């Protein structure tokens, strides 16, 4: 996802919603000549992000909807897996646009849970996956936002919006991906909404257990396969 993102030496980059710094580590280490200001609304996440001790990064607590930076301060803005959690992603993008210099670029990366399919696909595994989508929607987010990057950025006033889909495909011949993506990302994410899904009545305990077992089978079986699509957009102020 980050392989084709590079920032020239001397550029100043804002990473909005950096979380615990998972993407910051890669961006900052691959672009040692650029300087990064990485913000998040969560002080707890920022404290963890700071532990990476990155020389070219400054961390700062800030809400995307109340950016504490002067106009035209940054050469580039980077936002990854943040818009999906916001009730008004266009408003967030409109807040980010003015802090970019004229001609500066924004990079936005989001997933789209509607793009996900796997083999063997059972009714229970589909049910728990739908729980994840519906639980996030109840919180005001949109886990299907990847497909909307073009209209969102356009509506927010960005120019020259280019979106590229990024497919992830895993099978038993790619055990590192099966482990890192299917088990530790996808299944962990679904398991994270168990309480909420049961409380909201999105499914019952037995279907939940069966669905999680079935998803684990996709990772464990020699004939299991898994597909997911991310979307990456680059646009100009
Ligand atoms: C799923 S994490 C993504 C973290 C990081 N970008 C990554 O890709 O690993 C979403 C982050 O957005 C942050 N966030 C949510 N709403 C925000 C807001 N209004 N302003 C700034 N950060 C926000 C959360 O605190 C969280 O750290």
């Amino acid at each position: 996802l980050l392989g084709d993102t590079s920032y020239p030496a001397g550029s100043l980059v804002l990473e909005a919603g950096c979380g615990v710094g998972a993407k910051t580590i890669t961006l900052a280490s691959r672009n040692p000549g650029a300087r990064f200001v990485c913000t998040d609304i969560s002080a707890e996440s920022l404290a963890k992000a700071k532990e990476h001790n990155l020389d070219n990064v400054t961390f700062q607590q800030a809400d995307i909807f109340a950016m504490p930076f002067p106009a035209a301060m940054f050469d580039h803005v980077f936002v990854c897996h943040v818009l999906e959690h916001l009730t008004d992603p266009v408003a967030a993008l409109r807040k980010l646009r003015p802090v970019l210099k004229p001609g500066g670029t924004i990079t936005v990366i989001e997933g789209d849970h509607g793009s996900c399919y796997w083999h063997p696909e059972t009714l229970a595994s589909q049910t728990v996956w739908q729980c994840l989508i519906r639980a996030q929607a109840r919180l005001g987010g949109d886990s299907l936002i990847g497909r909307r990057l073009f209209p969102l950025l356009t509506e927010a006033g960005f120019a020259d919006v280019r979106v590229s889909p990024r497919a992830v495909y895993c099978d038993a011949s790619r055990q590192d991906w099966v482990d890192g993506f299917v088990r530790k990302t996808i299944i962990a994410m679904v398991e994270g909404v168990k309480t909420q899904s049961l409380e909201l009545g999105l499914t019952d305990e037995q279907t939940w257990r069966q669905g999680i077992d079935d998803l684990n089978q996709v990772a464990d079986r020699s004939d299991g396969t898994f597909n997911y699509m991310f979307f990456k957009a680059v646009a100009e102020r």
Side-chain angles (χ1 to χ4, degrees):
L1 288 176
L2 303 182
D4 55 348
T5 296
S6 64
Y7 299 115
S11 51
L12 184 62
V13 183
L14 168 69
E15 183 190 7
C18 64
V20 297
K23 307 297 180 305
T24 316
I25 302 169
T26 306
L27 291 174
S29 57
R30 286 189 189 163
N31 299 279
R35 283 180 302 127
F36 293 83
V37 176
C38 299
T39 61
D40 201 280
I41 201 166
S42 159
E44 201 183 330
S45 295
L46 286 169
K48 288 187 186 146
K50 282 178 191 162
E51 289 171 10
H52 301 306
N53 289 321
L54 299 158
D55 288 342
N56 51 342
V57 179
T58 308
F59 290 101
Q60 184 171 338
Q61 189 172 12
D63 183 345
I64 285 183
F65 293 100
M67 286 273 101
F69 305 111
M73 176 168 167
F74 296 97
D75 298 292
H76 304 284
V77 170
F78 178 88
V79 191
C80 183
H81 304 321
V82 178
L83 299 185
E84 63 174 308
H85 301 289
L86 306 179
T87 47
D88 193 344
V90 171
L93 291 169
R94 284 194 177 126
K95 293 286 181 186
L96 291 170
R97 197 167 154 261
V99 303
L100 268 174
K101 290 178 183 166
T105 66
I106 185 168
T107 299
V108 183
I109 299 173
E110 292 289 344
D112 188 319
H113 289 1
S115 72
C116 192
Y117 54 99
W118 54 89
H119 171 80
E121 197 164 83
T122 64
L123 190 55
S125 60
Q126 282 175 348
T127 301
V128 292
W129 184 250
Q130 287 302 318
C131 284
L132 179 64
I133 295 172
R134 291 165 70 191
Q136 191 157 341
R138 295 280 185 113
L139 293 172
D142 179 7
S143 60
L144 312 179
I145 200 166
R147 69 190 72 177
R148 293 171 62 211
L149 289 188
F150 184 84
L152 291 174
L153 282 154
T154 303
E155 194 181 337
F158 285 92
D160 199 18
V161 182
R162 306 285 169 102
V163 178
S164 58
R166 309 288 168 110
V168 174
Y169 166 75
C170 317
D171 62 31
S173 70
R174 302 170 157 203
Q175 280 303 326
D176 51 342
W177 277 89
V178 170
D179 195 47
F181 192 69
V182 183
R183 289 196 188 92
K184 293 187 179 142
T185 305
I186 293 290
I187 299 176
M189 215 159 44
V190 177
E191 285 179 319
V193 297
K194 177 182 178 182
T195 309
Q196 198 189 347
S197 300
L198 296 179
E199 277 174 9
L200 289 169
L202 301 180
T203 189
D204 57 80
E205 178 84 43
Q206 193 186 343
T207 308
W208 182 271
R209 254 185 278 126
Q210 185 64 56
I212 295 292
D213 282 353
D214 291 354
L215 283 179
N216 275 304
Q217 282 297 308
V218 172
D220 295 344
R221 283 169 56 145
S222 60
D223 64 348
T225 68
F226 198 90
N227 301 265
Y228 189 91
M229 192 75 80
F230 291 95
F231 292 85
K232 181 170 185 173
V234 179
E236 274 190 32
R237 176 184 159 167

